[in-house]
């Protein structure tokens, strides 16, 4: 091992390797900043260049790219409330409130320090773990993976917020949404309304952008301010962030460990790592009042975990040739191209190559975090801009990013529909993180349970030691969650009366909509074979009970119940003279959709920019031209470099236009 | 009036006639978009990533060949898109796999493309090896008879994917098989085998060599047969990459003392040819002019006959002859021809045995 380690060091300690690593890092940083584009997109861009490259340099470039995406994706999560990639969805919960409080700098420096720390811990753990990893991974069979998914679901307890029933209902909605498309056991198409787009289910990128970004953009537009209310304070906090991580170093270490392990398990999916880390910090902390309102620990936990995850994900990829995540799948394709065979030889005669990979990961983390810290100050200044100027850019970016998920019109339609639904979830106090957790875990829960029952003939697997250990952890997790919920019950916003109102009718209507969704889920499930229907049916039945409870509290007029919440009751506008409803901006988005359908994305975006800046920002004609021109140039440039496609409209169907209007 | 009409026709036709065959294809400064109807990271992606730069270099004008991943609907989405949108200008090509061929052959509702409209440029064959755990008691193909009546479990992606071949093979042998569906990839199936959750598995050639041969050396896996290849007479022959392993029909004979026959065996051969014979193919769209087709065929020929290609290709594509021109045309014909009777038999069997709705 030591010999392999020294050989590896000799291979990577060359200027050439370092240069290629830096190219990878630079590309990774750019991809990470752009919401919706993650490791898969980045890897796919690099692959064509790998052919014929020196394997060690190629490895440096690939690893450099994949290592820093979870570092730089934090920018938009913290500053705009839009997850830069699925790895930092949980960072939004506390990072964005911090930016709103004017602590964006502190949040960013804490996030980058935690990312760096997590990445390094990940590399350190891997150096040793890689030697014993094979039996460990083989010990996690389908029953254990199922139990881990259940453990993930138990995090809903702490993420539910004030009303547990609403949290569970939201999670159930995610589970049902995750069940759309081909059933894992039978291949039957569930809840697809006969629409081809839904056959493969809704992509995670679309759901993530819809439920986090769309409501935030609309709320920020309505308050008519900049993101950071108190802009002068943006500059301070850089040192504070580093100190925060140092003070919470044990937390960061634990979360890095969690990240490594969850990332290393194929079949669970790396996209829950940040949530599990976030749930972990909430369960193990005493003073929890500030979570969700800008607690720096809520940034440190997911950020240290998501960088460690990439290291963990390398293990099944190089040992078994089975990718632990989407970006690892593409990485595997890259290994094939440069002529590196995965498999047991990677811990045998090719151990030095494995160490090249692991240490490139460590170096890339250092370079990436350093670059982010340097770039932070100019990028963080964005939060002081009036939001009406920023909003069209954000809308352009999320629409475009959503479209890249499957390059189908369905992506944009799903973004809009789920986004509008999320606007009302936010208004009526239905927590959105549980929805995402349910969505991500729907497939691991259903597939692994079904497979475990088939593989082990019944429920004999429930007595496996691994299952029992994870089961105990789940019970503890629920217990901690329940304790938290009962504490929150007596304190918090309720005493101050936030969200309380005598007008219950809008909430009742929304709860009824939720009921209808689950009734539909129940109805649709009955069209399938037993194995195809059991999961959506059970989910729908259980959720009808919880949502039914919420509805009954509302119908009985219990305005002081935790279930009753309407943010409209005390929504504050900076400019009270012309209050604008959320529906107003939903209509703007709908307008953009319609115009896109007619003339295609590029032209529609130009019209949208001009109209929005003129009407909403009352910008001068010169500003309108400059900003619109800049946005379109950026769009065309990105599209060209990444060979991305813009959604076409009826016009494009009829006439063949040159790029970028095509 | 009639004369005027024919004059107009002539006026329209002459420039068309003059321009079509005379101009040689040149793609200088152009981007060729290669649609891969799968996500990046799978076998088809690796295949395309390996070939794209070489194809670009070999085409006239050395265009940049850009791979565009369009996953969805078990590869029918990307193929449908190609059928509906690709212009016959040589700037859009499609890469298909066995997973695209099967829904086409089975008459899947989602298929809105027609192979016969397209022009095949190149084909890549592969094979597959079926192996079992030593816990079943078999030491090798010589113990084939012991497999009779053994209950086996198989981790499958879906009964209408390439897994149709092993499921059909085991059914015909009379081996009671429990298929567990919903695997995300063949690799996930192998992991289930390594964890001991299933006792049989198969992998395509390159994955077998890379990941299963080490298991065989450790004594953790026993290879029993290959799917075999169909020759130009439609007979099943041994896989050249694994000449020491019997092909499935031989294995059947070793087990039952007689050759397999009947509609089921016809179906087996048809689907082996379609799924493995030319597992991956490159196509130009309907209506492409002869000069562009010729430019592509010449380029493909140049790529596969380049010195050193075979050695490089072995790792990524397996040890098979990459076919071009007439051989590719012949291979395509075999791959997409299934008699209506055989097709109906397979559909009925899938519905009866695995509740597949057509």
């Amino acid at each position: 091992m030591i010999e392999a380690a020294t050989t590896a060091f000799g291979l990577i300690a060359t200027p050439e390797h370092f240069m290629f690593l830096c190219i990878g890092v630079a590309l990774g940083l750019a991809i990470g900043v752009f919401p919706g584009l993650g490791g898969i997109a980045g890897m796919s861009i690099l692959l064509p260049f790998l052919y014929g490259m020196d394997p060690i340099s190629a490895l440096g470039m690939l690893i450099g790219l994949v290592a820093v995406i979870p570092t730089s994706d934090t920018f938009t999560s913290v500053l705009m409330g839009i997850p830069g990639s699925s790895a930092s969805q949980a960072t939004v919960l506390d990072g964005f409130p911090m930016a709103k409080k004017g602590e964006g700098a502190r949040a960013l420096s804490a996030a980058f320090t935690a990312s760096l720390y997590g990445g390094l811990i990940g590399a350190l753990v891997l150096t040793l773990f890689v030697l014993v990893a094979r039996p460990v991974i083989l010990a996690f069979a389908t029953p254990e993976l199922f139990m881990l998914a259940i453990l993930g679901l138990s995090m809903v307890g702490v993420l539910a917020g004030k009303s547990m029933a609403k949290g569970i209902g939201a999670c159930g909605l995610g589970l049902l949404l995750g069940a759309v498309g081909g059933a894992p056991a039978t291949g039957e198409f569930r809840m697809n309304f006969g629409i081809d787009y839904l056959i493969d289910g809704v992509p995670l990128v679309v759901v993530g952008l819809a439920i986090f970004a769309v409501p935030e953009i609309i709320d920020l537009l309505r308050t008519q301010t900049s993101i950071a209310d108190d802009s002068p304070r943006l500059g301070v906090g850089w040192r504070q962030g580093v100190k925060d991580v140092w003070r919470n170093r044990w937390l960061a270490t634990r979360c890095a460990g969690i990240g490594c392990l969850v990332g290393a398990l194929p079949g669970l999916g790396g996209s829950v790592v940040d949530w599990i880390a976030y749930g972990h910090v909430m369960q193990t902390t005493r003073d929890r009042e500030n979570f969700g309102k800008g607690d720096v620990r809520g940034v440190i936990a997911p950020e240290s975990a998501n960088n460690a995850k990439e290291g963990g994900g390398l293990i099944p990829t190089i040992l078994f040739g089975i990718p632990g995540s989407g970006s690892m799948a593409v990485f595997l394709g890259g290994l094939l191209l440069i002529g590196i065979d995965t498999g047991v030889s990677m811990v045998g005669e090719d151990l030095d190559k494995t160490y090249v990979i692991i240490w490139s990961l460590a170096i890339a983390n250092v370079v990436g975090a350093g670059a982010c810290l340097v770039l932070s100050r100019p990028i963080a200044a964005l939060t002081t801009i009036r939001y009406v100027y920023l909003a069209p850019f954000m809308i352009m970016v999320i629409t475009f990013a959503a479209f890249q998920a499957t390059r189908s019109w369905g992506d944009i339609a799903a973004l809009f529909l789920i986004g509008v639904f999320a606007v009302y979830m936010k208004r009526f106090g239905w927590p959105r993180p549980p929805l995402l957790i349910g969505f991500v875990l729907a497939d691991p829960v259903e597939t692994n349970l079904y497979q475990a029952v088939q593989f082990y003939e019944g429920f004999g697997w429930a007595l496996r030691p691994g299952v029992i250990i994870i089961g105990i952890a789940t019970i503890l997790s629920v217990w901690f969650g329940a304790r938290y919920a009962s504490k929150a019950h007596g304190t918090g916003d309720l005493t101050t009366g936030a969200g309380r109102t005598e007008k219950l009718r809008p909430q009742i209507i929304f709860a009824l909509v939720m009921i209808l969704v689950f009734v539909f889920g129940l109805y649709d499930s009955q069209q399938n074979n037993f194995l195809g229907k059991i999961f959506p049916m059970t989910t729908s039945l259980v959720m009808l009970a919880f949502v039914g409870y919420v509805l009954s509290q509302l119908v009985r007029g219990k305005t002081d119940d935790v279930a009753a919440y309407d943010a409209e009751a005390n929504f504050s506008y900076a400019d009270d003279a012309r209050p604008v409803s959320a529906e107003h901006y939903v209509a703007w988005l709908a307008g953009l959709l319609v115009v896109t359908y007619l003339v295609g994305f590029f032209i529609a975006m130009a019209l949208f920019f001009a109209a929005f800046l003129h009407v909403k920002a009352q910008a001068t004609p010169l500003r309108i031209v400059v900003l619109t021109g800049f946005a379109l140039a950026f769009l065309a440039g990105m599209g060209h470099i990444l060979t991305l496609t813009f959604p076409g409209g009826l016009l494009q169907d009829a006439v063949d236009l040159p790029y970028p209007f095509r | 009036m009639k004369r005027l009409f024919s004059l107009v026709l002539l006026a329209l036709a002459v420039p068309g006639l003059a321009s079509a065959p005379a101009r040689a294809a040149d793609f200088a400064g152009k981007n060729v978009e290669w649609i891969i109807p799968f996500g990046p990271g799978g076998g088809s992606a690796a295949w395309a990533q390996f070939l794209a730069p070489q194809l670009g270099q070999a085409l006239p004008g050395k265009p940049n060949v850009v791979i565009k991943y369009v996953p969805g609907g078990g590869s029918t989405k990307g193929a449908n898109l190609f059928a509906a949108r690709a212009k016959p200008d040589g700037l859009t090509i499609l890469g298909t796999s066995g997973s695209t061929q099967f829904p086409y052959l089975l008459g899947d509702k989602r298929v809105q493309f027609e192979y016969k409209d397209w022009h095949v440029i190149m084909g890549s064959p592969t094979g597959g090896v079926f192996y079992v755990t030593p816990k079943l008691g078999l030491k090798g193909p010589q113990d084939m008879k012991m497999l009779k009546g053994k209950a086996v479990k198989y981790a499958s992606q879906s009964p209408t994917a390439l897994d149709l071949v092993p499921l059909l093979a085991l059914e015909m042998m009379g081996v009671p098989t429990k298929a567990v569906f919903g695997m995300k990839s063949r690799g996930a199936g192998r992991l289930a085998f390594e964890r001991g959750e299933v006792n049989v598995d198969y992998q395509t050639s390159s994955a077998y060599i890379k990941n299963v041969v080490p298991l065989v050396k450790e004594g953790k896996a026993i290879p029993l047969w290959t799917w075999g290849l169909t020759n130009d007479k439609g007979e099943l022959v041994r896989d050249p990459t694994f000449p020491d392993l019997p092909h499935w029909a031989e294995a059947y004979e070793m087990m039952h003392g007689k050759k397999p026959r009947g509609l089921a065996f016809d179906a087996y051969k048809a689907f082996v040819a379609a799924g493995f014979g030319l597992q991956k193919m490159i196509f130009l769209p309907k209506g492409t002019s002869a000069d562009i087709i010729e430019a592509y065929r010449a380029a493909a020929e140049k790529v596969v006959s380049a010195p050193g290609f075979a050695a490089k290709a072995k790792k990524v594509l397996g040890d098979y002859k990459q076919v071009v021109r007439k051989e590719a045309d012949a291979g395509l014909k075999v791959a997409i021809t299934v008699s209506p009777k055989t097709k109906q038999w397979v559909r009925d069997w899938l519905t009866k045995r695995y509740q597949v709705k057509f």
Side-chain angles (χ1 to χ4, degrees):
Chain A
M1 177 197 155
I2 291 172
E3 196 197 324
T6 42
T7 317
F9 191 76
L11 288 171
I12 57 169
T14 63
E16 199 196 346
H17 177 264
F18 187 72
M19 188 189 79
F20 279 107
L21 187 118
C22 287
I23 294 174
V25 168
L27 188 62
L29 292 178
I31 296 277
V33 169
F34 204 79
L37 296 182
I40 299 179
M43 285 281 185
S44 313
I45 296 162
L46 270 192
L47 284 184
F49 300 103
L50 292 185
Y51 184 73
M53 257 180 89
D54 159 51
I56 302 299
S57 302
L59 272 183
M61 199 156 82
L62 282 173
I63 293 287
L65 175 112
V66 80
V68 299
I69 286 172
T71 310
S72 69
D73 64 1
T74 312
F75 277 119
T76 49
S77 301
V78 168
L79 298 177
M80 322 273 169
I82 300 171
S85 81
S86 61
S88 46
Q89 281 163 337
T91 313
V92 175
L93 293 195
D94 278 295
F96 189 48
M98 282 180 79
K100 280 186 181 166
K101 284 197 289 186
E103 291 185 326
R106 180 181 168 196
L108 285 178
S109 78
F112 298 142
T113 315
S115 290
L116 170 63
Y117 185 72
L120 289 179
I121 292 277
L124 187 71
V125 169
L126 283 183
T127 301
L128 302 170
F129 183 57
V130 74
L131 297 172
V132 295
R134 204 177 162 85
V136 174
I137 291 178
L138 285 178
F140 281 89
T142 40
E144 284 81 11
L145 292 175
F146 166 70
M147 287 307 292
L148 276 175
I150 295 290
L151 177 63
L153 281 182
S154 74
M155 296 294 169
V156 167
V158 284
L159 292 169
K162 286 193 287 286
S163 167
M164 186 66 83
K166 278 181 165 175
I168 295 173
C171 175
L173 193 65
L175 287 171
L176 206 59
L177 192 62
V180 171
T186 58
E188 292 164 303
F189 302 130
R190 297 185 297 208
M191 294 176 275
N192 73 336
F193 303 97
I195 301 168
D196 279 351
Y197 173 72
L198 293 176
I199 281 179
D200 295 304
V202 188
L204 172 63
V205 170
V206 173
V207 177
L209 288 174
I211 70 172
F212 286 118
V214 173
E216 288 313 330
I217 290 173
I218 288 181
D219 272 2
L220 280 166
L221 276 171
R222 292 177 69 200
T223 51
Q224 296 279 340
T225 52
S226 53
I227 292 170
D229 304 336
D230 197 357
S231 42
R233 276 207 280 150
L234 181 76
V236 299
W238 297 106
R239 276 158 195 273
Q240 186 58 39
V242 181
K243 280 188 199 152
D244 286 330
V245 178
W246 178 246
R247 213 178 308 122
N248 293 292
R249 56 190 177 277
W250 295 120
L251 170 71
T253 312
R254 288 199 307 272
C255 289
I258 293 173
C260 256
L261 182 69
V262 175
L265 296 172
L268 196 59
S271 36
V272 284
V273 167
D274 50 334
W275 291 111
I276 293 182
Y278 191 81
H280 172 76
V281 61
M282 284 183 81
Q283 284 170 337
T284 52
T285 320
R286 281 181 191 283
D287 48 331
R288 277 173 276 208
E289 287 74 31
N290 282 324
F291 279 112
K293 295 174 205 144
D295 191 313
V296 75
R297 288 170 299 187
V299 172
I300 294 170
E303 284 303 314
S304 43
N306 66 16
N307 276 62
K309 171 199 80 179
E310 297 302 333
L314 280 167
I315 292 195
T317 313
I318 57 184
L319 279 188
F320 295 93
I322 291 171
S325 66
S327 51
M328 281 299 135
V330 191
F331 179 67
L332 192 64
L335 288 184
L336 200 65
L337 275 189
I338 55 181
I340 293 182
D341 274 340
T342 51
V344 262
S345 65
M346 291 299 279
V347 284
E349 64 255 47
D350 288 333
L351 189 61
D352 53 337
K353 284 193 192 118
T354 305
Y355 281 132
V356 166
I357 293 175
I358 293 174
W359 291 348
S360 299
L361 191 69
I363 299 172
N365 267 297
V366 175
V367 176
C372 282
L373 277 175
V374 173
L375 290 172
S376 290
R377 206 175 281 264
I379 294 183
L382 286 176
T383 52
T384 58
I385 298 173
R386 260 179 75 209
Y387 200 70
V388 273
Y389 283 105
L390 220 46
F393 284 96
M394 290 298 108
I395 291 167
M396 171 181 93
V397 165
I398 63 164
T399 319
F400 184 50
F403 179 73
Q404 297 310 325
T406 71
R407 301 186 179 189
S408 128
W409 253 94
D411 292 325
I412 301 183
L415 175 78
F416 178 75
L417 292 174
I418 301 173
V420 171
F421 198 82
V423 167
Y424 290 103
M425 285 183 75
K426 190 176 181 205
R427 172 175 167 182
F428 297 125
W430 294 80
R432 290 162 292 154
L435 189 154
L436 201 67
I437 294 192
F439 178 76
V440 173
L441 288 175
D443 183 70
V445 166
E446 182 181 13
T447 309
N448 286 312
L449 176 61
Y450 146 73
Q451 288 176 351
V453 170
Q454 298 278 309
F455 284 145
Y456 298 88
E457 314 280 348
F459 284 86
W461 52 265
L463 295 173
R464 287 166 62 101
V467 171
I468 293 173
I469 293 170
I470 307 169
I472 292 169
T474 309
I475 293 168
L476 287 176
S477 162
V478 171
W479 183 69
F480 277 120
R483 210 179 54 156
Y484 171 68
S486 62
K487 248 189 194 170
H489 196 100
T491 57
D493 289 348
L494 270 184
T495 44
T496 62
R500 278 182 57 187
T501 171
E502 298 301 316
K503 274 167 62 189
L504 287 173
R505 182 174 294 169
Q507 303 183 53
I508 292 174
I509 293 172
F510 188 75
L512 273 173
V513 171
M514 290 285 280
I515 295 260
L516 282 178
V517 169
F518 290 117
V519 168
F520 173 75
L522 191 61
Y523 161 77
D524 184 87
S525 68
Q526 299 310 309
Q527 320 299 313
N528 300 321
N529 288 325
F530 178 75
L531 285 174
K533 82 174 167 195
I534 185 77
F535 177 73
M537 187 177 84
T538 315
T539 305
S540 299
L541 282 174
V542 172
M543 293 310 147
L544 280 172
F546 282 102
V547 181
Y549 167 78
V550 173
L551 185 66
S552 77
Q553 293 296 82
L554 293 173
V555 170
R556 288 189 302 176
K558 297 212 166 181
T559 52
D560 56 344
D561 190 85
V562 282
Y565 180 90
D566 188 345
E568 289 302 308
N570 43 14
F571 197 89
S572 66
Y573 301 90
D575 175 13
D576 275 327
R578 295 181 305 121
V580 181
S581 65
E583 288 77 10
H584 175 88
Y585 287 104
V586 169
W588 269 93
L589 288 181
L592 173 64
L593 268 192
V594 171
V595 179
T596 305
Y597 183 72
L598 294 176
V599 296
F601 185 69
F602 199 79
I603 301 171
M605 217 59 235
L607 298 172
F608 180 77
F609 258 82
F612 195 90
L613 290 174
H614 176 68
V615 176
K616 286 291 156 191
Q618 278 148 7
T620 58
L622 179 68
R623 266 197 177 173
I624 293 176
V625 170
V626 170
L627 286 174
T628 309
F630 174 76
L632 295 181
F634 173 77
L635 200 59
M638 280 294 277
H640 182 70
I641 297 167
L642 306 184
T643 65
L644 300 174
T645 323
F646 302 124
L650 292 180
L651 178 68
Q652 279 74 12
D653 284 345
V655 199
D656 192 18
L657 294 169
Y659 182 84
F661 302 102
R662 195 173 341 144
Chain B
M1 187 67 203
K2 223 175 181 181
R3 265 179 60 186
L4 185 70
F5 185 66
S6 38
L7 261 179
V8 171
L9 265 186
L10 194 71
L12 285 172
V14 165
L17 284 174
S19 64
R23 178 175 46 92
D26 183 19
F27 304 108
K30 298 269 175 62
N31 271 348
V32 171
E33 211 170 71
W34 187 352
I35 296 179
I36 292 295
F38 300 92
S44 288
W47 169 75
Q49 286 151 11
F50 172 74
L51 288 173
Q54 306 181 59
L55 193 62
Q57 283 298 306
L59 280 166
K62 302 196 171 155
N64 194 11
V65 179
V66 187
I67 299 170
K68 183 169 172 183
Y69 302 99
V70 190
S75 87
T76 56
K77 183 181 164 189
N80 285 340
L81 187 84
F82 177 79
R85 294 274 173 84
K87 292 194 196 76
D89 53 7
L91 296 182
T92 312
I93 56 176
L94 174 73
T96 63
S97 112
S99 314
T100 326
Q101 264 108 271
F102 278 20
Y104 170 81
L105 289 181
L106 290 169
D108 189 311
K109 280 189 298 235
R110 290 173 290 172
V111 172
Q112 291 151 21
F113 55 86
E114 173 55 70
Y115 270 100
K116 287 173 195 146
D117 289 346
W118 300 337
H119 308 278
V120 63
I121 301 306
M122 183 181 163
S124 301
T126 186
V129 180
F130 183 85
Y131 55 96
V132 300
T133 170
K135 285 182 190 136
L136 284 180
L138 289 78
K139 298 260 183 305
Q142 69 276 9
D143 299 332
M144 202 69 76
K145 280 204 169 76
M146 289 170 67
L147 199 59
K148 233 183 204 172
K150 281 249 160 59
V152 304
K153 276 193 196 130
Y154 177 74
S156 166
Q157 285 166 273
S158 128
T160 53
L162 281 181
D163 287 339
L164 171 66
V165 169
L167 293 175
L168 188 59
L170 289 166
E171 174 96 356
M172 285 168 66
M173 282 180 148
V175 178
T177 308
K178 180 163 186 177
V180 180
F181 297 112
M183 290 290 141
K184 295 282 176 283
S185 65
R186 232 35 317 282
R190 194 190 74 241
L191 196 57
F193 177 86
E194 286 196 54
R195 292 193 296 231
E197 296 187 317
V198 293
N199 48 15
V200 302
D201 188 42
Y202 106 85
Q203 296 289 321
T204 51
S205 300
S206 52
Y208 176 83
I209 292 169
K210 195 158 47 169
N211 295 310
V212 186
V213 168
L215 293 178
V216 174
K217 282 189 188 136
E218 287 174 56
K220 289 178 182 162
I222 313 282
L224 289 185
W225 62 73
T226 69
W227 301 127
L229 298 181
T230 39
N231 65 10
D232 39 15
K233 289 185 205 119
E235 296 159 346
L236 212 57
V237 294
R238 285 199 176 190
D239 189 325
T241 311
F242 309 99
D244 299 333
L245 280 175
H247 62 69
W248 177 77
E250 289 179 89
Y252 182 95
E253 204 177 341
M254 290 161 86
M255 198 168 159
H256 294 286
K258 57 176 187 209
K259 289 188 173 17
R261 57 167 73 225
L263 269 178
F265 186 49
D266 290 345
Y268 173 86
K269 280 191 291 190
F271 279 87
V272 165
F276 299 96
L278 282 195
Q279 198 200 25
K280 299 192 197 302
M281 287 183 265
I282 306 176
F283 287 103
L284 280 167
K286 185 180 185 176
T288 308
S289 65
D291 56 324
I292 293 177
I293 298 174
E294 177 50 34
Y296 268 90
R297 292 199 164 155
E301 200 168 19
K302 202 165 141 193
V303 168
V304 301
S305 55
F309 175 81
K312 276 188 294 180
K314 200 170 165 180
K315 227 171 208 168
V316 185
L317 311 177
D319 198 1
Y320 298 93
K321 188 182 171 202
Q322 307 300 312
V323 300
V324 293
R325 292 189 185 273
K326 281 201 178 112
E327 274 184 287
D329 281 327
L332 169 66
K333 210 171 163 195
V334 175
I336 60 168
T337 313
V338 174
S339 75
K341 227 163 106 188
T342 315
K343 174 177 161 182
Q344 195 53 47
W345 184 89
V346 176
R347 283 168 63 117
D348 291 345
W349 175 72
L350 280 170
T351 307
K352 202 175 81 206
R353 180 74 166 81
Y354 292 109
Q355 290 84 46
V356 177
K357 288 181 212 153
F358 285 100

